[in-house]
Amino acid sequence: ILWTYLPIKSIHDLADELHYEILIYDCVAQFSAHTYASPKIESLDYMMHRRANLVFVDAFNLFQKKKRINKNIVQVPAGINHKYYSSFYKSEKIPADIKNISSPIIGYIGSLHNWLDLKLIRFIAQSRPDYSIVLVGPAKVDLLLIQNI
């Protein structure tokens, strides 16, 4: 089994050289929508969808778009195991750098890219000043819109 989440040329080249029975493409994003994406990424993504035996996506809109390319596609929505993660909240293991932030907290962990709706984050912050918003991850987009709110 060859399992990839990147449709880049080097992965296609590697797939051409390896002997595998099943290719799984875990399509984690609409790569052509990224500001840093290569102009060739859309065609490489299309080719990966065509050659994969099975495709996983998380977003519903991505599922709707990509199911036209490959019928062996499964949507696995993003989610959490609330019971498991809530045990950390109840424990004393809250990191020192956020321990004094008031609750309730709306949190996000991951790269801060152009798919984040910064206007919505600003609206929530201004509409609910009693909530704290914590974003953790490398900023790949200008966060000026949400600074000092």
Side-chain angles (χ1 to χ4, degrees):
I1 296 174
L2 177 59
W3 191 311
T4 184
Y5 67 96
L6 292 173
I8 59 177
K9 184 176 182 324
S10 59
I11 299 296
H12 282 280
D13 294 345
L14 181 62
D16 291 341
E17 298 297 321
L18 294 176
H19 300 288
Y20 59 88
E21 292 182 30
I22 298 171
L23 173 62
I24 299 173
Y25 179 31
D26 191 354
C27 182
V28 296
Q30 179 64 48
F31 292 105
S32 61
H34 292 216
T35 54
Y36 59 84
S38 161
K40 297 178 182 178
I41 198 71
E42 192 164 358
S43 64
L44 291 167
D45 180 66
Y46 177 83
M47 288 174 13
M48 189 63 75
H49 276 88
R50 296 286 299 163
R51 79 188 295 175
N53 301 94
L54 177 62
V55 176
F56 291 113
V57 297
D58 61 357
F60 181 72
N61 62 339
L62 201 53
F63 174 77
Q64 294 291 38
K65 184 175 183 177
K66 302 300 183 175
K67 72 180 182 179
R68 296 180 203 133
I69 304 170
N70 189 322
K71 300 297 183 202
N72 294 322
I73 187 168
V74 177
Q75 182 195 7
V76 181
I80 63 162
N81 180 333
H82 185 267
K83 185 178 177 183
Y84 174 78
Y85 286 103
S86 64
S87 67
F88 292 103
Y89 180 72
K90 294 174 186 170
S91 75
E92 297 295 323
K93 298 178 183 176
I94 298 173
D97 55 347
I98 66 166
K99 194 171 192 166
N100 295 322
I101 296 175
S102 61
S103 293
I105 295 174
I106 299 172
Y108 172 82
I109 299 173
S111 292
L112 308 174
H113 275 281
N114 59 345
W115 59 74
L116 283 177
D117 190 338
L118 298 180
K119 289 179 183 175
L120 177 61
I121 293 170
R122 182 178 184 82
F123 174 79
I124 293 169
Q126 291 173 334
S127 300
R128 298 303 304 253
D130 51 322
Y131 282 52
S132 296
I133 298 176
V134 177
L135 308 175
V136 178
K140 304 293 185 180
V141 65
D142 185 3
L143 299 176
L144 186 60
L145 184 64
I146 60 172
Q147 282 185 333
N148 301 320
I149 53 172

